[in-house]
Amino acid sequence: MHELGIVHRSITRPAASDAAALQPFGTSTVHEAMGRLGLMRPYIRPVYPGAKLCGPAVTVLLQPGDNWMLHVAVEQLQPGDVLVAACTTECEDGFFGELLATSVRARGGVGLVIDGGCRDAAALEEMDFPVFSRAVHAKGTVKATLGSVNVPVVCANALVHPGDMVVADSDGVVVVPAARTREVAEASREREENEAAKRKRLAAGELGLDMYQMRGKLEAAGLRYLD
């Protein structure tokens, strides 16, 4: 986390089958299935409606106002990877835009999560290239200062190791430790099956008060109904 000028070329990604098993599930489901852990701060937002991604992280540590290491990181991408970029200090400059997105996609990368700014939002939407960022900002960056690639980073308060799974959609961004991918995918599937059964009961008119057996606890807490 404190290394500068380092690129780790070899990282451990989850098995492809485990990564694929996590793919169908949204951020909220995965977060709950993992024990309500792993969320990034809610200021990380999609740059266009409907953006979503899921894949192993190639991590990037950036210096403020400098996107040099994003170009270095692109070379380390494998198909299905997600770039996850943190900065050594808060910065909302436009580190990433259409040209870098084109390069990432050519290497098989499927998106970016960045605790910083990006630009070319309209072009990114037209490309359907998902970016989740701290800000959308036209301000450009330089290429002058070394950071690192594939080191542990803290991105929007979430610790991300290279190879961890990243899931992002309109509800936010969640990080799943690589070693827990299969377990969390299975727990997510079970949770969605349970919610499907509850959805049918609620649609049929049953109240959450009864389905979740809340009435006794509410009464014990002192809730009163007055006519």
Side-chain angles (χ1 to χ4, degrees):
M1 196 178 303
H2 300 288
E3 296 176 300
L4 292 175
I6 298 293
V7 178
H8 291 281
R9 290 177 169 172
S10 299
I11 66 174
T12 301
R13 296 168 174 84
S17 58
D18 294 339
L22 191 66
Q23 186 89 33
F25 305 111
T27 299
S28 298
T29 295
V30 172
H31 165 62
E32 296 282 356
M34 198 164 56
R36 301 178 69 201
L37 297 172
L39 281 181
M40 291 189 184
R41 291 291 304 281
Y43 62 72
I44 303 293
R45 301 300 304 152
V47 301
Y48 61 88
K52 60 181 180 179
L53 58 78
C54 178
V58 166
T59 61
V60 190
L61 183 62
L62 300 168
Q63 299 282 4
D66 193 313
N67 77 347
W68 211 6
M69 289 299 102
L70 282 170
H71 289 270
V72 174
V74 170
E75 185 180 25
Q76 303 306 315
L77 290 169
Q78 294 185 9
D81 284 347
V82 174
L83 282 174
V84 178
C87 194
T88 58
T89 190
E90 291 186 4
C91 184
E92 297 181 345
D93 293 355
F95 290 93
F96 187 93
E98 176 192 5
L99 292 179
L100 263 171
T102 301
S103 182
V104 169
R105 178 161 281 170
R107 299 287 297 188
V110 298
L112 167 73
V113 177
I114 182 168
D115 195 355
C118 80
R119 58 186 187 174
D120 301 335
L124 293 171
E125 181 173 12
E126 186 175 347
M127 293 171 66
D128 195 22
F129 185 92
V131 173
F132 292 74
S133 68
R134 181 187 186 98
V136 174
H137 197 351
K139 185 179 178 183
T141 56
V142 300
K143 299 168 180 61
T145 316
L146 290 179
S148 289
V149 175
N150 280 330
V151 297
V153 297
V154 175
C155 185
N157 284 25
L159 177 61
V160 189
H161 290 89
D164 285 350
M165 290 296 293
V166 181
V167 179
D169 58 24
S170 57
D171 286 336
V173 185
V174 65
V175 181
V176 179
R180 296 191 63 189
T181 303
R182 181 184 300 181
E183 165 208 338
V184 173
E186 178 61 22
S188 297
R189 182 188 62 78
E190 292 174 357
R191 182 174 181 84
E192 288 218 338
E193 289 176 353
N194 180 262
E195 287 189 350
K198 290 177 180 177
R199 190 176 299 110
K200 288 182 180 179
R201 293 169 65 182
L202 292 169
E206 185 174 354
L207 292 173
L209 287 171
D210 298 312
M211 186 171 70
Y212 295 110
Q213 300 179 345
M214 297 177 181
R215 294 189 187 277
K217 291 181 180 179
L218 288 167
E219 183 179 358
L223 182 69
R224 296 181 298 152
Y225 290 86
L226 302 177
D227 295 322

